[in-house]
Amino acid sequence: MELGLTTFAERHAVGDRPAPNAGERLREVVAEAVAAEQAGLDVYGVGEHHREDFAASAPAMVLATIAGRTERIQLTSAVSVLSSDDPVRLYQQFATLDLLSSGRAELMAGRGSFVESFPLFGFDLGDYDALFDEKLALLLRLRADEPVTWSGQFRAPLRDAVVHPRTDRPLPVWIAVGGSPESVARAGLLGLPLAIAIIGGQPARFRPLVDLYHRALEQGGHGPQPIAVHAHGYVADTEEQAVADFYAPYAAAMSGLGRERGWSPMTPGQFDGMRGPGGSLFLGNPDQVAEKIADIRDTLGLDRFMLHPSVGTLPHDKVLHTIDLLGSKVAPLVR
């Protein structure tokens, strides 16, 4: 199973520690990706957001910088908000990244759990589902065909268009989901790899969605495809250190998000439940995190697990240490 990390280049203030500025945070992200390759990890993902508290509004740019500093690690968006983007431009960006990185680029397409990009780029949230359906269909056409003749509702038509540059292999396109059965079924019917974001609840409860995905793959006439999970977590030398490092930044970030979405503030009791054996947080010492990753691998039949440590902005040296532990201790135990 592949192991890796994701980031949104978070910029949260924690207690009396101010938020890093955007340039500082982006440079840390590049250094963390380089460290992930050096630690022997398989994949690094950068997510797209358009808010003050996240610095990565242009994942392809960040990943291209990482590509110039690395040689082996897979580079993926995590995710690209396809609904508010132009499929032509998005394909060009990731095709360029794939060529620059000698075939290491992937694109994870999602509808987006944050909606700031819709008004920013002039789209109506009432078209949330229709935008994604249309743009995904065009993206897949662009990947497969040349020239492309196409017309739709949300962008100008194409007539005998050849979109450059072309990749040396079909650009990998994943569908990223947060738990919607419709999104899972769509990925299976199209024969696309599936990435599941698990940021709450019990990971084992996602098994019915995985079963649905396998049925949809079969119904669509496709063979097996990779399944990935993205989850929050953190690795330290001891369980006590992991809790001490992670709780305050995580609680601050999730409570802040909760104020926007109507959730109650995070409590230590909720946090302890989430980091327990059946919870969604993959946090603790290397043995604990490895055991939990192996358990979800076996429960859901995973091909990839991606840990997201800096949900609330952690000090850069703490993230680098987690990366080292993930590669040197957790990965060998899981494998």
Side-chain angles (χ1 to χ4, degrees):
M1 184 182 69
E2 292 180 333
L3 287 170
L5 298 110
T6 58
T7 186
F8 301 152
E10 290 85 348
R11 300 180 54 238
H12 301 293
V14 181
D16 59 359
R17 177 162 54 85
N21 65 49
E24 177 187 359
R25 187 69 190 100
L26 287 169
R27 289 188 291 273
E28 288 177 352
V29 164
V30 173
E32 289 162 11
V34 172
E37 175 168 277
Q38 292 172 347
L41 298 175
D42 303 294
V43 58
Y44 193 85
V46 178
E48 174 190 349
H49 289 286
H50 300 270
R51 300 162 50 103
E52 183 181 9
D53 47 351
F54 301 109
S57 62
M61 292 285 290
V62 182
L63 293 168
T65 303
I66 294 168
R69 297 275 305 277
T70 57
E71 297 180 353
R72 180 193 57 80
I73 197 165
Q74 293 290 311
L75 304 171
T76 184
S77 58
V79 300
S80 297
V81 185
L82 178 59
S83 304
S84 58
D85 211 332
D86 177 13
V88 174
R89 197 67 179 127
L90 192 63
Y91 175 82
Q92 290 177 320
Q93 290 169 352
F94 278 84
T96 301
L97 174 63
D98 197 58
L99 295 169
L100 284 169
S101 64
S102 301
R104 292 187 283 136
E106 301 176 353
L107 195 163
M108 284 191 183
R111 295 185 296 176
S113 61
F114 292 78
V115 297
E116 289 80 6
S117 62
F118 288 79
L120 185 63
F121 297 113
F123 294 104
D124 188 339
L125 275 172
D127 298 322
Y128 187 78
D129 292 320
L131 281 163
F132 187 77
D133 288 343
E134 178 177 301
K135 293 188 176 190
L136 178 62
L138 177 55
L139 178 66
L140 297 178
R141 284 282 306 279
L142 295 168
R143 178 180 73 160
D145 299 333
E146 53 174 331
V148 172
T149 296
W150 175 93
S151 64
Q153 179 182 354
F154 300 108
R155 76 172 316 273
L158 300 174
R159 183 173 181 82
D160 295 328
V162 180
V163 178
H164 296 288
R166 306 304 299 179
T167 56
D168 297 327
R169 53 158 192 168
L171 180 69
V173 175
W174 294 62
I175 298 296
V177 305
S180 162
E182 293 79 11
S183 297
V184 170
R186 177 195 290 115
L189 290 171
L190 292 172
L192 299 175
L194 179 70
I196 306 170
I198 300 179
I199 60 173
Q202 296 176 322
R205 296 181 65 180
F206 284 78
R207 181 69 217 189
L209 290 178
V210 171
D211 293 338
L212 171 63
Y213 176 64
H214 288 307
R215 292 195 300 272
L217 282 171
E218 184 177 357
Q219 183 178 342
H222 307 291
Q225 296 294 321
I227 301 174
V229 155
H230 156 277
H232 297 164
Y234 179 70
V235 193
D237 295 301
T238 66
E239 180 182 8
E240 294 76 16
Q241 189 64 54
V243 172
D245 290 345
F246 197 75
Y247 175 72
Y250 188 69
M254 297 302 285
S255 296
L257 181 59
R259 285 192 293 273
E260 298 179 17
R261 300 190 176 188
W263 306 339
S264 60
M266 176 163 288
T267 67
Q270 290 172 327
F271 180 78
D272 287 341
M274 293 174 71
R275 69 184 181 89
S280 59
L281 271 181
F282 290 74
L283 181 140
N285 63 44
D287 287 344
Q288 291 171 311
V289 174
E291 183 175 355
K292 202 164 184 179
I293 292 174
D295 183 61
I296 193 174
R297 174 199 62 199
D298 297 340
T299 300
L300 301 184
L302 298 183
D303 302 279
R304 174 184 290 178
F305 180 87
M306 302 181 73
L307 188 73
H308 194 116
S310 201
V311 182
T313 308
L314 290 166
H316 182 50
D317 62 330
K318 299 285 189 183
V319 178
L320 292 177
H321 188 52
T322 273
I323 290 170
D324 178 63
L325 290 175
L326 194 63
S328 64
K329 295 190 176 181
V330 174
L333 288 169
V334 170
R335 290 168 178 152

